[in-house]
């Protein structure tokens, strides 16, 4: 089922760059965009993390311009990036099935990583892996494709 814009046109799911305060370019942010009215919105499951990240990084900016790959710091964005690398032209219905399969694979991988971190007694690695697992466990693509109809 497609997501509909307020202008009643279908929105497409894409990865875009978000430029913040003309100082930070965050690449690979999953968004819905409308080709008709040029409206876009950040995918809801990553919006909070993106906002928090921008607030945090804004305080520590020393370089005049910084480029960040959001797919490297957010697991949901990473899933979208990996899927787009392998098959860009999927419709939203097929994309939803594929993203759920990728999510399960990633969760299994992270659970293996977490076990390794426990065995090594690496608190930092355990904490990072828990954060990534939480991002994935809260994400369900089925709840996001359609809005207004």
């Amino acid at each position: 089922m497609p997501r509909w814009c307020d202008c009643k046109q279908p929105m497409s799911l894409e990865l875009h760059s978000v430029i913040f305060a003309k100082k930070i370019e965050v690449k690979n942010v999953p968004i819905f965009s409308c080709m008709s009215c040029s409206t876009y919105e950040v995918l809801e499951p990553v919006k909070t993390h993106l906002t928090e990240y921008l607030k945090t990084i804004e305080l520590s900016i020393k370089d005049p311009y910084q480029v960040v790959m959001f797919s490297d710091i957010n697991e949901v964005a990473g899933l979208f990036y990996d899927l787009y690398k392998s098959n860009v032209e999927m419709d939203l219905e097929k994309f939803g099935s594929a993203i759920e399969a990728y999510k399960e694979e990633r969760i299994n991988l992270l659970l293996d990583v977490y076990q390794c971190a426990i065995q090594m007694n690496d608190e930092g690695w355990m904490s990072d892996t828990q954060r990534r697992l939480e991002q994935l466990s809260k994400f369900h693509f089925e709840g996001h494709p359609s809005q207004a109809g």
Side-chain angles (χ1 to χ4, degrees):
M1 174 183 271
R3 182 175 184 102
W4 297 95
C5 182
D6 290 338
C7 74
K8 306 297 184 213
Q9 296 300 310
M11 297 180 88
S12 60
L13 183 59
E14 303 169 354
L15 291 173
H16 275 267
S17 292
V18 173
I19 299 175
F20 179 74
K22 298 181 183 178
K23 293 182 180 182
I24 306 167
E25 181 178 357
V26 184
K27 293 186 172 193
N28 300 328
V29 177
I31 66 159
F32 284 106
S33 66
C34 177
M35 298 302 277
S36 180
C37 69
S38 301
T39 297
Y40 74 91
E41 66 181 69
V42 175
L43 187 72
E44 194 61 41
V46 301
K47 187 184 290 187
T48 302
H49 186 224
L50 177 64
T51 303
E52 289 170 1
Y53 178 75
L54 290 173
K55 285 178 186 175
T56 303
I57 200 166
E58 182 181 28
L59 301 174
S60 64
I61 296 177
K62 293 179 177 69
D63 297 328
Y65 195 80
Q66 190 170 354
V67 177
V68 177
M69 302 302 246
F70 196 58
S71 54
D72 290 342
I73 60 173
N74 181 277
E75 284 299 311
V76 174
L79 290 178
F80 280 86
Y81 178 73
D82 289 347
L83 194 55
Y84 270 113
K85 279 191 322 186
S86 66
N87 192 351
V88 176
E89 304 210 21
M90 298 176 81
D91 64 34
L92 282 179
E93 198 170 300
K94 290 179 185 174
F95 192 85
S97 299
I99 200 77
E100 287 298 321
Y102 268 61
K103 179 179 113 172
E104 290 302 315
E105 288 176 25
R106 184 74 59 93
I107 286 173
N108 288 334
L109 173 67
L110 287 171
L111 288 171
D112 291 343
V113 167
Y114 190 72
Q115 279 295 337
C116 186
I118 288 172
Q119 290 173 353
M120 296 177 74
N121 200 25
D122 188 326
E123 295 290 329
W125 200 11
M126 289 166 54
S127 176
D128 182 59
T129 305
Q130 281 179 321
R131 179 185 58 80
R132 292 172 179 273
L133 282 164
E134 284 177 24
Q135 290 173 358
L136 290 175
S137 66
K138 291 177 184 176
F139 174 67
H140 300 287
F141 188 73
E142 301 87 29
H144 301 284
S146 70
Q147 186 170 0

